[in-house]
Amino acid sequence: MTRIAILGTGSVATTLAGPLVASGHSVVLGSRLPGGTVPVAGTTVQPFADAVQQAAVVVNALPGDAAVAVLSGLPVPGGAVLVDVANAVHTGPDGLATGLRYPGGSLAEELQRALPAARVVKTLNTMHVSLMVRPAAPVTAFLSGDDADAKAVVRTLLTDLGWASDRVLDLGGLVTARWVEGFAPAIGPTVRALGPVPFGLAIAH
């Protein structure tokens, strides 16, 4: 059993929390305003700082434009695996990405700079939330990170989320997060071409 803190209580956080609880993990959701109904059975909701204090894994499911500011002020334990599933983008009137907030870099790298004692791994940011768990479509889950052991932890969590091993692709170091985050501005044109259908990036091999 791993203690996992998922920061956020939106659709991404709640989608990931259920299967992780079912796999035997202890999951707490971090919220800016905890209270009210617990959104996922088997979890608790705590303030951000309380949620991360004893977590072995912290999942950034916050909006990408707020993630660095929020996480840089939290007591994330040294050595914790920080799983970044967010995209940091500028958006247009339709809410879709028009550009990257960290051109020439990545949100994942900014989080690593803000929390140098954590071990950041980027994954699951290239697909609609409905495909993050037991994906029906043949999408690919990419891994980017500088720590091999941290990436092994995330691989195991992806298995718990219903991912087949041959659909998980390790791209290498954290610098490769620039490539997967670069997919975000393509979402708007794709939605306009296909309509609001769930889709994600896939590598055919």
Side-chain angles (χ1 to χ4, degrees):
M1 180 181 71
T2 301
R3 180 176 170 84
I4 301 172
I6 303 178
L7 301 185
T9 55
S11 60
V12 172
T14 55
T15 294
L16 299 177
L20 293 175
V21 169
S23 295
H25 300 292
S26 172
V27 178
V28 57
L29 300 176
S31 175
R32 183 173 59 89
L33 297 170
T37 304
V38 175
V40 179
T43 68
T44 60
V45 181
Q46 299 178 1
F48 290 138
D50 293 343
V52 303
Q53 277 187 345
Q54 298 182 33
V57 175
V58 177
V59 180
N60 172 38
L62 297 167
D65 59 349
V68 174
V70 172
L71 275 154
S72 61
L74 296 181
V76 176
V81 178
L82 175 54
V83 187
D84 179 28
V85 302
N87 288 309
V89 298
H90 299 290
T91 58
D94 58 3
L96 297 173
T98 59
L100 302 174
R101 285 189 174 268
Y102 304 107
S106 67
L107 172 59
E109 290 168 287
E110 292 296 319
L111 290 172
Q112 187 66 83
R113 275 189 281 272
L115 295 163
R119 298 179 291 164
V120 178
V121 179
K122 188 82 180 187
T123 193
L124 294 182
N125 68 301
T126 57
M127 65 200 68
H128 187 266
V129 60
S130 65
L131 300 175
M132 291 182 176
V133 173
R134 293 183 289 276
V139 291
T140 302
F142 300 99
L143 292 175
S144 298
D146 292 333
D147 188 289
D149 291 339
K151 286 193 284 189
V153 169
V154 177
R155 273 189 178 273
T156 298
L157 295 179
L158 289 173
T159 299
D160 292 339
L161 293 172
W163 284 85
S165 60
D166 63 350
R167 301 309 307 173
V168 179
L169 180 60
D170 187 341
L171 295 177
L174 197 61
V175 68
T176 64
R178 300 178 184 185
W179 181 78
V180 291
E181 290 187 27
F183 170 69
I187 294 173
T190 305
V191 168
R192 287 187 281 273
L194 297 178
V197 296
F199 63 88
L201 190 60
I203 299 296
H205 61 92

